Amino acid sequence: MSIKEAEAKIIGEFSYFEDWMDKYNYIIELGKTLPMIDPVYKTDEYKIEGCQSNVWLQAEYKEGLLYFTADSDAIITKGIVNLLIRVLSGRTPQEILNADLAYLDEIGLKQHLSVTRSNGLLSMIKQIKRFALVYSLKEQPENTAVQ
């Protein structure tokens, strides 16, 4: 499934709900299915700065793809990070870097979050893209000296 297909699936899921309380409850349910981070990564090194809640994100690079696990001490934040992981985990670094994540606007997430949660969402996206950038640079062949 492509990123766009994963985004369309989430948009479809959210279209079943008419009011935002139902959507919040769905986000909370998504938090319960978050791919959980190994407790060894629940350290300051993996903690995302800029989030109102504590959020930890870990990336594993296998066979050219990045896989994410996360955790948070806030159930709504677990659901929000799961919305990102569902779309971006199992992708190449370049796919992640190129993702525009427009589905977050289409489901109305950004406009219904408090300012602090919106900042946290942006911090999560930045951290995921930082991981992708680091691993995309590792994929590039080393520069050879010009003679």
Side-chain angles (χ1 to χ4, degrees):
M1 178 183 308
S2 71
I3 285 179
K4 289 296 180 195
E5 290 168 332
E7 290 175 339
K9 183 176 181 183
I10 290 170
I11 291 167
E13 291 168 8
F14 274 80
S15 72
Y16 289 113
F17 306 106
E18 292 191 19
D19 85 25
W20 258 92
M21 285 313 296
D22 291 336
K23 291 180 183 185
Y24 279 127
N25 286 329
Y26 184 61
I27 292 169
I28 289 168
E29 288 303 311
L30 290 175
K32 296 175 183 175
T33 64
L34 176 67
M36 294 302 289
I37 195 168
D38 187 314
V40 73
Y41 296 111
K42 288 176 79 171
T43 64
D44 286 345
E45 182 180 351
Y46 294 91
K47 189 174 176 184
I48 298 176
E49 296 299 320
C51 291
Q52 178 180 5
S53 315
N54 291 316
V55 182
W56 300 271
L57 180 74
Q58 184 262 340
E60 184 177 358
Y61 186 69
K62 292 191 298 190
E63 299 177 8
L65 303 176
L66 274 171
Y67 297 91
F68 298 99
T69 57
D71 196 8
S72 175
D73 58 4
I75 191 68
I76 190 98
T77 305
K78 284 183 180 190
I80 292 168
V81 75
N82 195 10
L83 284 171
L84 295 172
I85 288 175
R86 283 181 59 195
V87 169
L88 298 173
S89 193
R91 309 288 177 190
T92 67
Q94 202 56 54
E95 286 176 304
I96 295 167
L97 290 171
N98 292 339
D100 66 8
L101 307 177
Y103 76 106
L104 297 171
D105 289 324
E106 289 188 45
I107 64 173
L109 183 63
K110 288 182 181 177
Q111 67 199 34
H112 286 91
L113 293 178
S114 67
V115 172
T116 53
R117 289 220 193 277
S118 287
N119 289 339
L121 173 62
L122 293 175
S123 295
M124 289 181 234
I125 293 168
K126 285 180 185 176
Q127 184 59 42
I128 289 171
K129 293 215 176 205
R130 272 190 214 110
F131 277 124
L133 180 60
V134 166
Y135 285 104
S136 73
L137 295 173
K138 288 183 177 186
E139 287 180 339
Q140 296 178 2
E142 291 186 34
N143 294 332
T144 56
V146 177
Q147 302 209 2

